[in-house]
Amino acid sequence: MENGFSSSAVVITPGYTSKEPKKTPRLVYLLIIGGSIFLCFLVVLISFMLVGDRPPRMPYTSSYLASTESNRSGLADVLRRVERLYFYELHPEKIYQMRRVTPEDIRMHFRPYDPSPNATKNRTDEAMKLRQEVNALKFNTTLLKLRERKAVHVASAILGNNFGWAPYTQDYYSGDWLLGPDLFCWQPVCTVFTHLNQVFSHFKPHNMSQLVRLKELFEDYNRTFERYVENWKLGARTGYVRPHTACQAGLHSLKYEMYRGMTLKDESGIYDEPFAKMLLHSSYFEHLSKSVNDTWKELSQQNVTEFFRQSLLQNVARAVIEMMRYLEHEYLRHCPTDENVISGLGKLPLRFLYYNDSPDTGHLAFHQLPTGEELSGPRHIRP
């Protein structure tokens, strides 16, 4: 031991010799690369040689495309016409439910449900005509796609109910559209704001023409609610009313379920509706230029926001209030309480006009639709 360090001996095992790793010859790499290229070339060559023997490619069979049977029988064409007629002409208030509908389509075609006698008759006539076309088609159901079978069922259902899902209040010739709302409030008058809430964001104006369109939309709603009142007046004159308890139940549903805000708060209750909150939000008119705002103020003597706030009250809220007041203070008096007089559709139309539960024997009920057809409750549900 020297300098405080210990030394250790290195032991070399006898027979061990140190060897360096062998290098792979360059020729091996060249053979591997060349062989791979040759195999790829061979595969491509064989593919080109066999391309002529391939069977023809099968046509695309997406479930969204019509089947051969549907095209052959004309079913596809009829279903397309049912869809377009339903959304674009007869029920434009539901156009937002249409497949692949665009905001432009909604702005162009949307309008509130039209409860007028002419519109109701037109919906019924078109439904009957298309239902006859569907029933006259000759097609093999087993050759249709599943979606097409479902479409046939849906088309038959809505056409059987005159372009509606509810089994009542859609058939012009049955006259039940003359009756007031019922307990379940299945009538279109109960869903007026439901449809408007779904589309109102698409009416956010960017220019003067879109402002005018929004103004006209509110005026359309005013006419819609007024037309409902006229229908119920016509129903009372023709002897088409419900029993008093049913009239009360329908009025309660309309007031406290569908238009509760205006029942409790009068006209200002309209501000609780989602579309009204959207209208009164500062962002709704944010895309209007200063020149458009100035022009509108010059024409209407009000700025844009104030004008539509007032239009909302005058054209929509007041129309709803007047409609409910008519039902409660006038229409209800035409509904008899005596179940011997009226207990269902089988006894409609009534022979005399009723007021305050008394028949006016000097005035017979009209018993006719506006176009002259006779009304008959027992024929209400037609096969």
Side-chain angles (χ1 to χ4, degrees):
M1 178 182 294
E2 294 181 3
N3 302 325
F5 293 96
S6 61
S7 62
S8 59
V10 177
V11 180
I12 300 177
T13 305
Y16 174 81
T17 58
S18 176
K19 295 182 180 180
E20 294 182 0
K22 293 183 179 180
K23 294 182 178 180
T24 304
R26 184 177 298 177
L27 180 61
V28 175
Y29 288 118
L30 292 176
L31 288 174
I32 294 174
I33 295 172
S36 301
I37 294 174
F38 176 76
L39 287 175
C40 291
F41 174 76
L42 189 62
V43 169
V44 172
L45 181 63
I46 293 173
S47 298
F48 276 107
M49 292 174 63
L50 296 178
V51 71
D53 298 331
R54 288 182 180 178
R57 181 177 293 180
M58 296 297 291
Y60 183 59
T61 57
S62 168
S63 59
Y64 293 98
L65 298 179
S67 65
T68 303
E69 178 67 6
S70 180
N71 285 324
R72 181 201 64 78
S73 63
L75 174 63
D77 180 61
V78 172
L79 291 177
R80 280 191 290 267
R81 283 196 288 122
V82 169
E83 181 184 44
R84 292 188 64 83
L85 192 63
Y86 182 90
F87 288 112
Y88 285 125
E89 297 183 32
L90 304 182
H91 285 281
E93 78 280 2
K94 297 181 181 179
I95 193 170
Y96 63 90
Q97 299 173 356
M98 186 178 181
R99 297 176 303 130
R100 298 187 294 274
V101 69
T102 65
E104 290 75 18
D105 289 334
I106 292 175
R107 285 191 292 270
M108 181 179 297
H109 297 284
F110 177 85
R111 60 183 183 274
Y113 178 85
D114 186 355
S116 67
N118 287 339
T120 305
K121 183 178 185 300
N122 184 49
R123 282 189 291 268
T124 301
D125 292 342
E126 291 294 336
M128 293 170 63
K129 188 188 308 180
L130 281 173
R131 190 184 187 193
Q132 290 174 356
E133 285 191 44
V134 172
N135 292 338
L137 293 175
K138 304 297 182 182
F139 53 84
N140 188 339
T141 306
T142 60
L143 298 180
L144 298 178
K145 296 181 180 180
L146 290 178
R147 292 178 63 89
E148 291 171 336
R149 298 179 199 177
K150 177 182 177 181
V152 171
H153 172 74
V154 171
S156 299
I158 64 171
L159 293 176
N161 291 325
N162 300 285
F163 279 104
W165 286 109
Y168 308 110
T169 74
Q170 303 289 339
D171 187 345
Y172 172 78
Y173 299 102
S174 71
D176 58 353
W177 53 276
L178 296 169
L179 299 171
D182 61 10
L183 171 64
F184 302 103
C185 221
W186 282 353
Q187 291 74 19
V189 68
C190 304
T191 56
V192 175
F193 288 165
T194 300
H195 301 307
L196 182 58
N197 288 330
Q198 295 294 326
V199 302
F200 198 69
S201 61
H202 297 295
F203 286 91
K204 190 174 182 179
H206 293 72
N207 51 50
M208 180 63 72
S209 63
Q210 291 178 354
L211 272 178
V212 173
R213 175 74 175 92
L214 185 61
K215 170 180 174 291
E216 293 172 346
L217 183 65
F218 283 176
E219 293 170 352
D220 287 342
Y221 276 95
N222 182 275
R223 287 187 287 270
T224 293
F225 288 114
E226 288 181 349
R227 184 64 248 185
Y228 279 119
V229 173
E230 293 303 314
N231 285 355
W232 298 330
K233 289 180 179 179
L234 180 61
R237 291 196 300 269
T238 56
Y240 245 64
V241 292
R242 302 181 190 276
H244 193 269
T245 52
C247 290
Q248 283 183 316
L251 174 63
H252 186 275
S253 294
L254 197 71
K255 289 180 62 177
Y256 293 101
E257 294 182 24
M258 304 306 166
Y259 301 104
R260 182 179 179 85
M262 281 167 283
T263 299
L264 301 178
K265 302 178 183 179
D266 205 58
E267 294 175 359
S268 62
I270 192 70
Y271 298 138
D272 294 336
E273 295 294 332
F275 74 90
K277 293 178 180 178
M278 195 181 306
L279 175 75
L280 300 178
H281 195 275
S282 58
S283 64
Y284 196 75
F285 297 106
E286 64 182 352
H287 295 302
L288 294 175
S289 65
K290 184 178 184 301
S291 62
V292 171
N293 277 285
D294 292 343
T295 302
W296 188 268
K297 187 172 183 179
E298 182 180 349
L299 293 174
S300 64
Q301 304 303 311
Q302 289 178 304
N303 62 44
V304 171
T305 303
E306 185 58 30
F307 176 88
F308 282 99
R309 177 188 287 270
Q310 291 299 318
S311 179
L312 188 63
L313 288 176
Q314 294 173 2
N315 288 306
V316 184
R318 288 179 186 173
V320 174
I321 296 295
E322 290 300 318
M323 177 187 70
M324 292 192 294
R325 284 176 180 169
Y326 168 76
L327 282 174
E328 185 170 10
H329 301 299
E330 182 65 24
Y331 182 78
L332 205 59
R333 297 185 176 188
H334 295 289
C335 303
T337 58
D338 188 352
E339 293 187 359
N340 293 320
V341 174
I342 179 173
S343 58
L345 294 169
K347 294 185 178 181
L348 291 181
L350 299 176
R351 184 180 180 187
F352 301 107
L353 302 185
Y354 272 74
Y355 196 77
N356 288 336
D357 208 27
S358 298
D360 184 353
T361 55
H363 292 84
L364 294 174
F366 193 53
H367 288 197
Q368 286 186 343
L369 290 166
T371 47
E373 293 85 356
E374 289 291 328
L375 281 168
S376 175
R379 296 200 308 267
H380 175 68
I381 301 297
R382 294 181 294 109

